[in-house]
Amino acid sequence: MFERDTLYIGGSHEKPSSSDMIDVYSPFTEERVGRVPEAHEADVDRAVTAARHAFEEGPWARSTPAERADVLDKLLLGLQMRSGDIASLISSEMGCPMSFAHAGQAFATTMVVEFYAQLARTFPFEETRPSMVGSALVRQEPVGVAAAIVPWNVPLFTIMLKLAPALAAGCSIVIKPAPETPLDAYLLADVLDEAGVPKGVVSILPGGRQMGEYLVTHPGIDKVGFTGSTAAGRKIAALCGERLRRVTLELGGKSAAIVCDDADFNEVIAPIVGAGTMNNGQACVAQTRILLPKSRYKEGVEALAAAVGALKVGDPSDFSTEIGPLVAERQRDRVLGYVAKGKAEGARCVVGGGRPKDFAKGYFVEPTLFADVDNKMTVAQEEIFGPVLCAIPYETEADAIRIANDSEYGLSGSVWTSDPKRGIEIARRIRTGTHNVNFFMMAMTGPFGGFKNSGLGRELGPEGLRAYLEPKTICLAPGIEP
Protein backbone atom coordinates (compact mmCIF):
# COMPACT_ATOMS: atom_id res chain seq x y z
CA MET A 1 0.00 0.00 0.00
CA PHE A 2 1.41 3.35 -1.11
CA GLU A 3 0.07 6.17 1.05
CA ARG A 4 0.95 9.85 1.39
CA ASP A 5 -0.89 12.56 3.34
CA THR A 6 0.69 15.66 1.78
CA LEU A 7 0.76 17.49 -1.54
CA TYR A 8 3.98 18.56 -3.23
CA ILE A 9 3.53 22.32 -3.43
CA GLY A 10 6.42 24.50 -4.53
CA GLY A 11 9.00 21.87 -3.67
CA SER A 12 7.66 21.24 -0.15
CA HIS A 13 5.40 18.54 1.21
CA GLU A 14 2.37 20.49 2.44
CA LYS A 15 -0.91 19.61 4.09
CA PRO A 16 -3.80 19.73 1.60
CA SER A 17 -6.64 22.22 1.88
CA SER A 18 -9.23 19.49 2.41
CA SER A 19 -9.51 15.98 3.79
CA ASP A 20 -10.55 14.51 0.43
CA MET A 21 -8.47 11.55 -0.68
CA ILE A 22 -7.92 9.68 -3.96
CA ASP A 23 -8.05 5.90 -3.61
CA VAL A 24 -6.09 4.01 -6.26
CA TYR A 25 -7.15 0.48 -7.17
CA SER A 26 -5.29 -2.29 -8.94
CA PRO A 27 -6.96 -3.11 -12.28
CA PHE A 28 -5.80 -6.71 -11.75
CA THR A 29 -6.88 -7.48 -8.16
CA GLU A 30 -9.49 -4.68 -7.94
CA GLU A 31 -8.08 -3.99 -4.47
CA ARG A 32 -6.78 -0.68 -3.20
CA VAL A 33 -3.05 -0.18 -3.73
CA GLY A 34 -2.66 3.46 -2.74
CA ARG A 35 -4.15 6.61 -1.28
CA VAL A 36 -3.07 10.24 -1.67
CA PRO A 37 -4.73 13.62 -1.05
CA GLU A 38 -6.96 15.16 -3.70
CA ALA A 39 -5.99 18.73 -4.55
CA HIS A 40 -8.55 21.51 -4.80
CA GLU A 41 -8.65 25.12 -5.92
CA ALA A 42 -6.97 26.48 -2.79
CA ASP A 43 -4.04 24.12 -3.37
CA VAL A 44 -3.78 25.31 -6.98
CA ASP A 45 -3.65 28.90 -5.74
CA ARG A 46 -0.77 28.08 -3.41
CA ALA A 47 1.10 26.17 -6.11
CA VAL A 48 0.71 28.87 -8.76
CA THR A 49 1.70 31.57 -6.27
CA ALA A 50 4.85 29.62 -5.41
CA ALA A 51 5.61 29.06 -9.09
CA ARG A 52 5.03 32.73 -9.95
CA HIS A 53 7.33 33.88 -7.15
CA ALA A 54 9.99 31.34 -8.14
CA PHE A 55 9.86 32.52 -11.75
CA GLU A 56 9.89 36.25 -11.05
CA GLU A 57 12.10 36.38 -7.96
CA GLY A 58 13.95 33.07 -7.72
CA PRO A 59 17.20 31.88 -9.25
CA TRP A 60 15.89 29.26 -11.68
CA ALA A 61 14.75 31.46 -14.57
CA ARG A 62 18.03 33.42 -14.31
CA SER A 63 20.28 30.36 -14.06
CA THR A 64 22.50 29.42 -16.98
CA PRO A 65 21.52 26.58 -19.33
CA ALA A 66 24.52 24.62 -18.06
CA GLU A 67 23.32 24.98 -14.46
CA ARG A 68 19.87 23.75 -15.42
CA ALA A 69 21.43 20.85 -17.35
CA ASP A 70 23.38 19.87 -14.22
CA VAL A 71 20.10 19.58 -12.28
CA LEU A 72 18.54 17.56 -15.09
CA ASP A 73 21.54 15.21 -14.95
CA LYS A 74 20.87 14.67 -11.24
CA LEU A 75 17.19 14.11 -11.97
CA LEU A 76 18.16 11.52 -14.57
CA LEU A 77 20.39 9.65 -12.14
CA GLY A 78 17.70 9.63 -9.45
CA LEU A 79 15.10 8.23 -11.85
CA GLN A 80 17.52 5.60 -13.12
CA MET A 81 18.21 4.46 -9.56
CA ARG A 82 14.46 4.10 -8.93
CA SER A 83 13.53 2.57 -12.28
CA GLY A 84 12.45 -0.73 -10.75
CA ASP A 85 10.23 0.97 -8.19
CA ILE A 86 8.74 3.22 -10.89
CA ALA A 87 7.93 0.28 -13.15
CA SER A 88 6.35 -1.75 -10.36
CA LEU A 89 4.29 1.16 -9.08
CA ILE A 90 2.94 2.16 -12.50
CA SER A 91 2.11 -1.47 -13.30
CA SER A 92 0.13 -1.75 -10.08
CA GLU A 93 -1.67 1.55 -10.75
CA MET A 94 -2.80 0.98 -14.32
CA GLY A 95 -2.21 -2.67 -15.17
CA CYS A 96 0.44 -2.51 -17.87
CA PRO A 97 2.62 -5.63 -18.21
CA MET A 98 5.89 -5.41 -16.31
CA SER A 99 7.94 -5.71 -19.48
CA PHE A 100 6.29 -2.58 -20.87
CA ALA A 101 6.47 -0.88 -17.47
CA HIS A 102 10.25 -1.13 -17.53
CA ALA A 103 10.73 -0.18 -21.19
CA GLY A 104 7.80 2.09 -22.02
CA GLN A 105 7.25 3.70 -18.64
CA ALA A 106 10.50 3.91 -16.63
CA PHE A 107 13.20 3.75 -19.32
CA ALA A 108 11.35 5.97 -21.79
CA THR A 109 11.01 8.59 -19.05
CA THR A 110 14.76 8.66 -18.44
CA MET A 111 15.43 8.95 -22.17
CA VAL A 112 13.45 12.20 -22.26
CA VAL A 113 15.39 13.65 -19.33
CA GLU A 114 18.71 12.63 -20.85
CA PHE A 115 17.85 14.26 -24.17
CA TYR A 116 16.89 17.61 -22.64
CA ALA A 117 19.86 17.63 -20.29
CA GLN A 118 22.11 17.33 -23.35
CA LEU A 119 20.09 19.79 -25.43
CA ALA A 120 20.19 22.45 -22.73
CA ARG A 121 23.99 22.56 -23.09
CA THR A 122 23.95 23.11 -26.87
CA PHE A 123 20.70 24.92 -27.68
CA PRO A 124 21.11 28.49 -29.04
CA PHE A 125 19.30 30.38 -26.28
CA GLU A 126 20.91 33.58 -27.58
CA GLU A 127 22.27 34.52 -31.01
CA THR A 128 23.21 37.65 -32.93
CA ARG A 129 21.77 38.22 -36.40
CA PRO A 130 22.64 40.89 -38.94
CA SER A 131 19.99 43.54 -39.48
CA MET A 132 19.27 46.25 -42.05
CA VAL A 133 20.89 48.69 -39.63
CA GLY A 134 23.05 47.41 -36.81
CA SER A 135 22.29 43.94 -35.53
CA ALA A 136 19.63 41.99 -33.67
CA LEU A 137 20.21 40.03 -30.47
CA VAL A 138 17.67 37.20 -30.50
CA ARG A 139 16.99 35.55 -27.18
CA GLN A 140 14.91 32.49 -26.26
CA GLU A 141 13.43 33.26 -22.85
CA PRO A 142 11.31 30.99 -20.61
CA VAL A 143 7.58 31.33 -21.25
CA GLY A 144 6.86 31.63 -17.52
CA VAL A 145 4.66 29.41 -15.35
CA ALA A 146 3.44 26.27 -17.10
CA ALA A 147 0.61 23.87 -16.28
CA ALA A 148 0.98 20.19 -17.22
CA ILE A 149 -2.09 17.95 -17.34
CA VAL A 150 -1.32 14.31 -18.05
CA PRO A 151 -3.23 11.05 -18.62
CA TRP A 152 -3.09 7.70 -16.87
CA ASN A 153 -1.73 5.46 -19.65
CA VAL A 154 1.96 6.51 -19.55
CA PRO A 155 1.81 8.85 -16.57
CA LEU A 156 5.44 9.59 -15.77
CA PHE A 157 6.55 9.64 -19.41
CA THR A 158 3.90 12.23 -20.32
CA ILE A 159 4.83 14.28 -17.25
CA MET A 160 8.43 14.30 -18.43
CA LEU A 161 7.48 15.37 -21.96
CA LYS A 162 6.48 18.64 -20.29
CA LEU A 163 8.62 18.84 -17.16
CA ALA A 164 12.01 18.20 -18.77
CA PRO A 165 11.77 20.91 -21.48
CA ALA A 166 10.13 23.31 -19.02
CA LEU A 167 13.06 22.90 -16.62
CA ALA A 168 15.59 23.17 -19.44
CA ALA A 169 13.92 26.43 -20.50
CA GLY A 170 13.92 27.92 -17.00
CA CYS A 171 10.16 27.74 -16.40
CA SER A 172 8.23 26.91 -13.26
CA ILE A 173 5.54 24.24 -13.60
CA VAL A 174 2.44 22.88 -11.87
CA ILE A 175 1.69 19.24 -12.71
CA LYS A 176 -1.71 17.57 -12.45
CA PRO A 177 -1.46 13.77 -12.61
CA ALA A 178 -4.56 11.76 -13.48
CA PRO A 179 -6.53 10.53 -10.45
CA GLU A 180 -6.15 6.93 -11.68
CA THR A 181 -2.33 7.08 -11.51
CA PRO A 182 -1.07 9.69 -9.02
CA LEU A 183 1.33 7.45 -7.10
CA ASP A 184 4.37 7.52 -9.41
CA ALA A 185 4.39 11.33 -9.29
CA TYR A 186 5.26 11.13 -5.59
CA LEU A 187 8.39 9.16 -6.46
CA LEU A 188 9.19 11.94 -8.92
CA ALA A 189 8.79 14.52 -6.15
CA ASP A 190 11.36 12.67 -4.04
CA VAL A 191 13.83 12.71 -6.92
CA LEU A 192 13.21 16.41 -7.62
CA ASP A 193 14.17 17.17 -4.03
CA GLU A 194 17.37 15.17 -4.31
CA ALA A 195 18.26 16.78 -7.65
CA GLY A 196 18.26 20.25 -6.11
CA VAL A 197 15.39 21.86 -8.02
CA PRO A 198 14.85 25.22 -6.25
CA LYS A 199 11.79 25.79 -4.08
CA GLY A 200 8.70 26.93 -5.90
CA VAL A 201 9.71 25.64 -9.31
CA VAL A 202 7.68 22.38 -9.34
CA SER A 203 4.34 21.44 -7.78
CA ILE A 204 2.45 18.15 -8.15
CA LEU A 205 -1.31 18.21 -7.52
CA PRO A 206 -3.39 15.07 -8.16
CA GLY A 207 -7.00 15.93 -8.85
CA GLY A 208 -10.05 15.63 -11.03
CA ARG A 209 -11.40 17.50 -14.03
CA GLN A 210 -12.78 20.45 -12.08
CA MET A 211 -9.41 21.14 -10.49
CA GLY A 212 -7.74 20.71 -13.87
CA GLU A 213 -10.00 23.32 -15.46
CA TYR A 214 -9.29 25.69 -12.60
CA LEU A 215 -5.56 25.23 -13.20
CA VAL A 216 -5.89 25.80 -16.96
CA THR A 217 -7.80 29.04 -16.44
CA HIS A 218 -5.77 30.34 -13.50
CA PRO A 219 -4.54 33.90 -14.21
CA GLY A 220 -1.04 32.99 -13.01
CA ILE A 221 -0.51 30.39 -15.77
CA ASP A 222 1.32 31.35 -18.97
CA LYS A 223 1.35 28.06 -20.90
CA VAL A 224 -0.56 24.77 -20.80
CA GLY A 225 0.71 21.36 -21.90
CA PHE A 226 -1.96 18.67 -22.15
CA THR A 227 -1.99 15.02 -23.15
CA GLY A 228 -5.34 13.27 -23.32
CA SER A 229 -8.52 12.86 -25.29
CA THR A 230 -9.45 14.99 -28.28
CA ALA A 231 -12.70 16.01 -26.57
CA ALA A 232 -10.87 17.33 -23.52
CA GLY A 233 -8.23 18.92 -25.76
CA ARG A 234 -10.87 20.91 -27.62
CA LYS A 235 -12.17 22.33 -24.35
CA ILE A 236 -8.68 23.22 -23.13
CA ALA A 237 -7.88 24.83 -26.48
CA ALA A 238 -11.03 26.96 -26.21
CA LEU A 239 -10.21 28.03 -22.66
CA CYS A 240 -6.66 28.92 -23.65
CA GLY A 241 -7.86 30.69 -26.78
CA GLU A 242 -10.12 32.96 -24.74
CA ARG A 243 -7.07 33.96 -22.69
CA LEU A 244 -4.51 33.99 -25.53
CA ARG A 245 -2.62 31.41 -23.49
CA ARG A 246 0.07 29.30 -25.12
CA VAL A 247 -0.98 25.64 -25.38
CA THR A 248 0.39 22.32 -26.59
CA LEU A 249 -2.07 19.47 -27.11
CA GLU A 250 -1.13 15.84 -27.74
CA LEU A 251 -4.44 14.08 -28.34
CA GLY A 252 -5.91 10.91 -29.82
CA GLY A 253 -4.91 8.69 -32.68
CA LYS A 254 -6.15 5.92 -34.96
CA SER A 255 -2.94 4.96 -36.66
CA ALA A 256 -2.62 2.79 -39.76
CA ALA A 257 0.05 0.17 -40.36
CA ILE A 258 0.37 -0.29 -44.13
CA VAL A 259 1.63 -3.77 -45.03
CA CYS A 260 2.95 -3.67 -48.60
CA ASP A 261 2.47 -6.54 -51.02
CA ASP A 262 6.21 -7.26 -50.95
CA ALA A 263 6.44 -7.55 -47.15
CA ASP A 264 7.67 -10.73 -45.46
CA PHE A 265 4.75 -11.61 -43.19
CA ASN A 266 6.97 -13.90 -41.13
CA GLU A 267 9.02 -10.85 -40.14
CA VAL A 268 6.49 -8.01 -39.92
CA ILE A 269 3.33 -9.43 -38.34
CA ALA A 270 4.71 -9.84 -34.80
CA PRO A 271 6.05 -6.27 -34.47
CA ILE A 272 2.85 -4.88 -35.99
CA VAL A 273 0.73 -6.72 -33.43
CA GLY A 274 3.07 -5.51 -30.71
CA ALA A 275 2.69 -1.92 -31.92
CA GLY A 276 -1.08 -2.29 -31.87
CA THR A 277 -1.46 -3.92 -28.46
CA MET A 278 1.37 -2.38 -26.41
CA ASN A 279 0.34 -1.14 -22.97
CA ASN A 280 -2.79 -3.32 -23.34
CA GLY A 281 -3.76 -1.23 -26.37
CA GLN A 282 -3.92 1.91 -24.24
CA ALA A 283 -1.59 4.02 -26.35
CA CYS A 284 -2.44 7.02 -28.52
CA VAL A 285 0.10 5.87 -31.11
CA ALA A 286 -1.15 2.26 -31.26
CA GLN A 287 -1.15 0.83 -34.79
CA THR A 288 -4.72 -0.46 -34.67
CA ARG A 289 -5.71 -0.22 -38.36
CA ILE A 290 -3.73 -2.87 -40.23
CA LEU A 291 -3.96 -2.37 -44.00
CA LEU A 292 -3.37 -5.57 -45.99
CA PRO A 293 -3.16 -5.96 -49.79
CA LYS A 294 -6.18 -7.79 -51.20
CA SER A 295 -3.85 -10.11 -53.10
CA ARG A 296 -2.55 -11.42 -49.76
CA TYR A 297 -5.46 -10.58 -47.48
CA LYS A 298 -6.38 -14.13 -46.43
CA GLU A 299 -2.74 -14.91 -45.69
CA GLY A 300 -2.36 -11.70 -43.71
CA VAL A 301 -5.47 -12.22 -41.61
CA GLU A 302 -4.42 -15.77 -40.78
CA ALA A 303 -0.97 -14.56 -39.68
CA LEU A 304 -2.50 -11.76 -37.60
CA ALA A 305 -4.98 -14.15 -36.02
CA ALA A 306 -2.20 -16.51 -35.01
CA ALA A 307 -0.16 -13.69 -33.48
CA VAL A 308 -3.07 -12.06 -31.65
CA GLY A 309 -4.36 -15.41 -30.41
CA ALA A 310 -0.94 -16.30 -29.02
CA LEU A 311 -0.67 -13.18 -26.82
CA LYS A 312 -0.42 -14.15 -23.17
CA VAL A 313 -3.07 -12.53 -21.00
CA GLY A 314 -2.43 -12.43 -17.28
CA ASP A 315 -0.97 -10.91 -14.15
CA PRO A 316 0.79 -7.67 -15.15
CA SER A 317 3.52 -8.28 -12.56
CA ASP A 318 4.56 -11.44 -14.48
CA PHE A 319 7.29 -10.57 -16.99
CA SER A 320 5.90 -13.13 -19.44
CA THR A 321 2.50 -11.41 -19.58
CA GLU A 322 1.86 -9.52 -22.81
CA ILE A 323 -1.68 -8.24 -22.15
CA GLY A 324 -2.83 -7.12 -18.74
CA PRO A 325 -6.11 -5.58 -17.55
CA LEU A 326 -7.41 -2.22 -18.69
CA VAL A 327 -7.10 0.67 -16.28
CA ALA A 328 -10.65 0.62 -14.88
CA GLU A 329 -14.02 -1.07 -15.13
CA ARG A 330 -15.40 1.83 -17.18
CA GLN A 331 -12.58 1.42 -19.69
CA ARG A 332 -13.20 -2.32 -20.02
CA ASP A 333 -16.90 -1.68 -20.59
CA ARG A 334 -16.11 1.03 -23.14
CA VAL A 335 -13.86 -1.31 -25.13
CA LEU A 336 -16.40 -4.13 -25.00
CA GLY A 337 -18.98 -1.65 -26.28
CA TYR A 338 -16.78 -1.00 -29.32
CA VAL A 339 -16.38 -4.74 -29.87
CA ALA A 340 -20.16 -5.14 -29.88
CA LYS A 341 -20.42 -2.20 -32.29
CA GLY A 342 -17.92 -3.80 -34.64
CA LYS A 343 -19.89 -7.03 -34.74
CA ALA A 344 -23.17 -5.16 -35.26
CA GLU A 345 -21.71 -3.21 -38.21
CA GLY A 346 -20.62 -6.39 -39.97
CA ALA A 347 -16.96 -6.77 -39.08
CA ARG A 348 -15.87 -10.39 -38.64
CA CYS A 349 -14.44 -11.14 -35.19
CA VAL A 350 -11.61 -13.58 -35.89
CA VAL A 351 -10.00 -13.72 -32.44
CA GLY A 352 -11.21 -12.66 -29.00
CA GLY A 353 -14.20 -10.40 -28.69
CA GLY A 354 -15.03 -10.79 -25.01
CA ARG A 355 -13.70 -11.19 -21.50
CA PRO A 356 -11.23 -14.01 -20.79
CA LYS A 357 -12.79 -16.83 -18.81
CA ASP A 358 -9.70 -17.54 -16.69
CA PHE A 359 -9.95 -14.44 -14.47
CA ALA A 360 -12.65 -13.93 -11.86
CA LYS A 361 -11.28 -10.44 -11.18
CA GLY A 362 -9.52 -7.82 -13.23
CA TYR A 363 -10.66 -5.50 -15.99
CA PHE A 364 -9.58 -7.74 -18.86
CA VAL A 365 -10.58 -7.72 -22.51
CA GLU A 366 -9.38 -10.51 -24.78
CA PRO A 367 -6.95 -9.43 -27.50
CA THR A 368 -9.33 -9.02 -30.42
CA LEU A 369 -8.92 -9.03 -34.19
CA PHE A 370 -11.60 -7.89 -36.61
CA ALA A 371 -11.37 -8.78 -40.30
CA ASP A 372 -13.39 -7.65 -43.31
CA VAL A 373 -13.41 -4.15 -41.87
CA ASP A 374 -14.52 -1.21 -43.96
CA ASN A 375 -12.62 1.96 -43.04
CA LYS A 376 -15.95 3.74 -42.54
CA MET A 377 -16.90 1.44 -39.65
CA THR A 378 -16.86 2.81 -36.12
CA VAL A 379 -14.08 0.44 -35.04
CA ALA A 380 -11.89 1.82 -37.84
CA GLN A 381 -12.62 5.49 -37.19
CA GLU A 382 -12.84 5.94 -33.42
CA GLU A 383 -10.06 5.48 -30.88
CA ILE A 384 -10.92 2.38 -28.85
CA PHE A 385 -7.94 2.43 -26.44
CA GLY A 386 -7.87 -1.30 -25.87
CA PRO A 387 -6.38 -4.47 -27.45
CA VAL A 388 -8.60 -4.37 -30.55
CA LEU A 389 -7.12 -4.51 -34.07
CA CYS A 390 -8.80 -4.09 -37.46
CA ALA A 391 -7.59 -5.78 -40.65
CA ILE A 392 -8.59 -3.61 -43.63
CA PRO A 393 -8.06 -4.70 -47.27
CA TYR A 394 -6.75 -2.35 -49.96
CA GLU A 395 -6.44 -2.61 -53.74
CA THR A 396 -3.37 -0.56 -54.69
CA GLU A 397 -0.63 1.45 -52.99
CA ALA A 398 -2.57 4.65 -53.73
CA ASP A 399 -5.66 3.04 -52.17
CA ALA A 400 -3.67 2.17 -49.02
CA ILE A 401 -2.47 5.76 -48.71
CA ARG A 402 -6.03 7.03 -49.17
CA ILE A 403 -7.36 4.71 -46.46
CA ALA A 404 -4.55 5.59 -44.06
CA ASN A 405 -5.31 9.29 -44.51
CA ASP A 406 -9.08 8.76 -44.24
CA SER A 407 -9.21 9.56 -40.53
CA GLU A 408 -9.92 12.55 -38.33
CA TYR A 409 -6.65 11.74 -36.58
CA GLY A 410 -3.05 12.13 -37.72
CA LEU A 411 -0.74 11.14 -34.91
CA SER A 412 1.31 8.12 -36.01
CA GLY A 413 1.57 5.32 -38.52
CA SER A 414 3.88 2.79 -40.08
CA VAL A 415 4.70 1.08 -43.38
CA TRP A 416 6.17 -2.39 -43.79
CA THR A 417 7.96 -3.34 -47.01
CA SER A 418 11.04 -5.11 -48.37
CA ASP A 419 11.89 -1.89 -50.24
CA PRO A 420 12.92 0.85 -47.77
CA LYS A 421 12.88 3.56 -50.44
CA ARG A 422 9.30 2.65 -51.27
CA GLY A 423 8.49 2.80 -47.56
CA ILE A 424 9.95 6.28 -47.20
CA GLU A 425 7.97 7.56 -50.18
CA ILE A 426 4.76 6.16 -48.72
CA ALA A 427 5.57 7.68 -45.31
CA ARG A 428 6.00 11.08 -46.94
CA ARG A 429 2.42 10.90 -48.23
CA ILE A 430 0.75 10.03 -44.90
CA ARG A 431 -0.71 12.97 -42.97
CA THR A 432 0.64 12.16 -39.53
CA GLY A 433 3.03 13.86 -37.14
CA THR A 434 5.26 10.77 -36.90
CA HIS A 435 5.66 7.74 -39.14
CA ASN A 436 7.77 4.59 -39.12
CA VAL A 437 9.36 2.44 -41.82
CA ASN A 438 9.79 -1.26 -40.96
CA PHE A 439 9.73 -0.80 -37.19
CA PHE A 440 7.91 1.15 -34.48
CA MET A 441 9.66 3.63 -32.20
CA MET A 442 9.53 7.21 -30.95
CA ALA A 443 12.54 9.40 -31.69
CA MET A 444 13.49 11.57 -28.73
CA THR A 445 15.37 13.88 -31.08
CA GLY A 446 12.41 14.44 -33.40
CA PRO A 447 9.16 16.35 -32.81
CA PHE A 448 6.17 14.33 -31.58
CA GLY A 449 2.59 15.43 -32.09
CA GLY A 450 -0.28 15.25 -34.49
CA PHE A 451 -2.02 16.57 -37.57
CA LYS A 452 -5.76 17.19 -37.67
CA ASN A 453 -7.62 16.18 -34.48
CA SER A 454 -4.49 14.65 -32.96
CA GLY A 455 -3.38 17.94 -31.49
CA LEU A 456 -1.57 21.25 -31.68
CA GLY A 457 2.15 21.87 -31.35
CA ARG A 458 4.92 19.37 -30.72
CA GLU A 459 6.75 17.69 -27.86
CA LEU A 460 10.21 16.08 -27.91
CA GLY A 461 13.13 17.26 -30.00
CA PRO A 462 14.23 20.91 -30.01
CA GLU A 463 10.63 21.72 -30.95
CA GLY A 464 9.53 20.48 -27.54
CA LEU A 465 11.92 22.91 -25.85
CA ARG A 466 10.77 25.81 -28.03
CA ALA A 467 7.22 25.22 -26.77
CA TYR A 468 8.42 26.53 -23.37
CA LEU A 469 10.36 29.48 -24.77
CA GLU A 470 9.38 32.94 -26.00
CA PRO A 471 11.58 34.51 -28.70
CA LYS A 472 12.65 38.07 -27.99
CA THR A 473 14.56 40.50 -30.22
CA ILE A 474 16.82 43.25 -28.90
CA CYS A 475 17.73 45.66 -31.71
CA LEU A 476 21.26 47.06 -31.45
CA ALA A 477 22.42 50.29 -33.04
CA PRO A 478 25.48 50.15 -35.30
CA GLY A 479 28.66 49.73 -33.32
CA ILE A 480 27.03 48.02 -30.29
CA GLU A 481 28.32 44.54 -29.60
CA PRO A 482 26.26 42.12 -27.47
Side-chain angles (χ1 to χ4, degrees):
M1 180 69 65
F2 186 103
E3 293 187 284
R4 298 286 177 94
D5 60 0
T6 58
L7 295 170
Y8 191 72
I9 298 178
S12 299
H13 295 274
E14 305 284 347
K15 289 293 182 182
S17 63
S18 81
S19 60
D20 294 341
M21 302 293 287
I22 295 174
D23 289 322
V24 181
Y25 290 89
S26 162
F28 176 60
T29 66
E30 301 181 29
E31 297 175 357
R32 195 175 73 182
V33 294
R35 169 177 275 191
V36 298
E38 180 179 2
H40 289 281
E41 284 83 352
D43 304 305
V44 173
D45 290 339
R46 285 194 288 165
V48 175
T49 297
R52 192 87 251 164
H53 178 78
F55 179 71
E56 295 176 355
E57 306 294 338
W60 189 248
R62 279 156 289 282
S63 61
T64 67
E67 289 169 339
R68 297 195 292 271
D70 288 343
V71 172
L72 285 168
D73 282 338
K74 293 176 184 176
L75 176 61
L76 171 62
L77 179 60
L79 291 170
Q80 289 172 331
M81 292 178 65
R82 287 172 173 80
S83 62
D85 293 337
I86 290 169
S88 295
L89 192 57
I90 294 177
S91 179
S92 70
E93 287 178 298
M94 57 79 58
C96 70
M98 191 62 71
S99 57
F100 183 85
H102 277 271
Q105 305 279 11
F107 181 63
T109 298
T110 62
M111 289 175 68
V112 179
V113 183
E114 184 174 20
F115 172 76
Y116 282 109
Q118 294 173 353
L119 183 63
R121 299 185 190 278
T122 60
F123 188 82
F125 287 96
E126 190 170 289
E127 59 180 319
T128 303
R129 301 178 187 175
S131 183
M132 293 289 291
V133 177
S135 59
L137 179 63
V138 179
R139 290 173 48 80
Q140 304 290 335
E141 299 186 349
V143 71
V145 177
I149 300 178
V150 301
W152 45 259
N153 62 326
V154 275
L156 195 56
F157 176 70
T158 49
I159 284 176
M160 206 53 65
L161 291 179
K162 298 150 186 63
L163 175 61
L167 292 179
C171 296
S172 300
I173 188 167
V174 180
I175 301 165
K176 190 198 87 67
E180 294 86 354
T181 54
L183 308 183
D184 57 278
Y186 278 83
L187 292 184
L188 172 63
D190 295 341
V191 179
L192 289 168
D193 285 342
E194 295 170 4
V197 176
K199 294 296 182 183
V201 172
V202 181
S203 295
I204 300 173
L205 304 178
R209 293 182 181 179
Q210 183 176 344
M211 190 277 278
E213 182 171 338
Y214 185 77
L215 175 60
V216 166
T217 58
H218 198 287
I221 295 296
D222 299 300
K223 187 261 186 320
V224 175
F226 172 75
T227 300
S229 72
T230 296
R234 284 194 179 100
K235 185 170 185 179
I236 289 173
L239 294 171
C240 290
E242 291 172 1
R243 293 158 179 80
L244 292 180
R245 185 159 294 166
R246 281 80 177 134
V247 62
T248 301
L249 305 172
E250 193 273 287
L251 308 177
K254 192 68 179 178
S255 301
I258 298 175
V259 184
C260 292
D261 54 11
D262 62 355
D264 184 343
F265 285 5
N266 291 325
E267 292 184 0
V268 307
I269 292 298
I272 290 172
V273 170
T277 61
M278 62 180 175
N279 205 23
N280 308 332
Q282 298 169 135
C284 56
V285 294
Q287 311 289 286
T288 54
R289 290 187 296 150
I290 303 172
L291 278 52
L292 297 169
K294 275 194 174 180
S295 61
R296 302 182 66 187
Y297 188 73
K298 184 176 182 292
E299 175 192 358
V301 169
E302 289 175 352
L304 286 170
V308 173
L311 292 171
K312 181 179 178 181
V313 179
D315 182 349
S317 67
D318 184 341
F319 271 90
S320 67
T321 293
E322 295 169 290
I323 301 292
L326 301 181
V327 71
E329 183 178 16
R330 72 173 193 282
Q331 185 67 14
R332 178 195 65 195
D333 294 345
R334 178 179 184 272
V335 172
L336 290 175
Y338 274 110
V339 171
K341 185 79 169 176
K343 294 176 180 178
E345 291 184 352
R348 176 165 58 95
C349 188
V350 182
V351 176
R355 295 172 60 179
K357 298 180 177 62
D358 297 338
F359 300 96
K361 289 185 177 182
Y363 306 127
F364 288 97
V365 172
E366 292 175 319
T368 298
L369 172 67
F370 280 112
D372 304 336
V373 175
D374 186 289
N375 198 55
K376 300 298 183 185
M377 291 179 179
T378 302
V379 290
Q381 286 294 317
E382 296 187 14
E383 186 176 39
I384 297 174
F385 231 57
V388 180
L389 306 180
C390 299
I392 302 172
Y394 69 85
E395 295 278 2
T396 63
E397 181 178 297
D399 189 37
I401 293 168
R402 178 191 62 78
I403 293 171
N405 286 329
D406 182 19
S407 172
E408 68 178 64
Y409 298 109
L411 186 61
S412 182
S414 59
V415 57
W416 306 79
T417 173
S418 62
D419 183 352
K421 290 185 178 179
R422 180 187 186 188
I424 293 171
E425 286 306 309
I426 291 174
R428 286 184 171 130
R429 296 176 64 186
I430 306 299
R431 296 279 295 166
T432 60
T434 61
H435 211 269
N436 298 265
V437 179
N438 287 346
F439 83 140
F440 183 80
M441 184 64 67
M442 289 178 64
M444 299 296 155
T445 57
F448 173 69
F451 292 12
K452 299 183 279 190
N453 288 347
S454 288
L456 296 172
R458 295 293 184 267
E459 296 180 313
L460 290 176
E463 293 81 0
L465 176 57
R466 290 187 185 278
Y468 291 87
L469 294 167
E470 287 278 25
K472 173 181 178 178
T473 302
I474 301 174
C475 297
L476 305 176
I480 297 179
E481 296 293 333

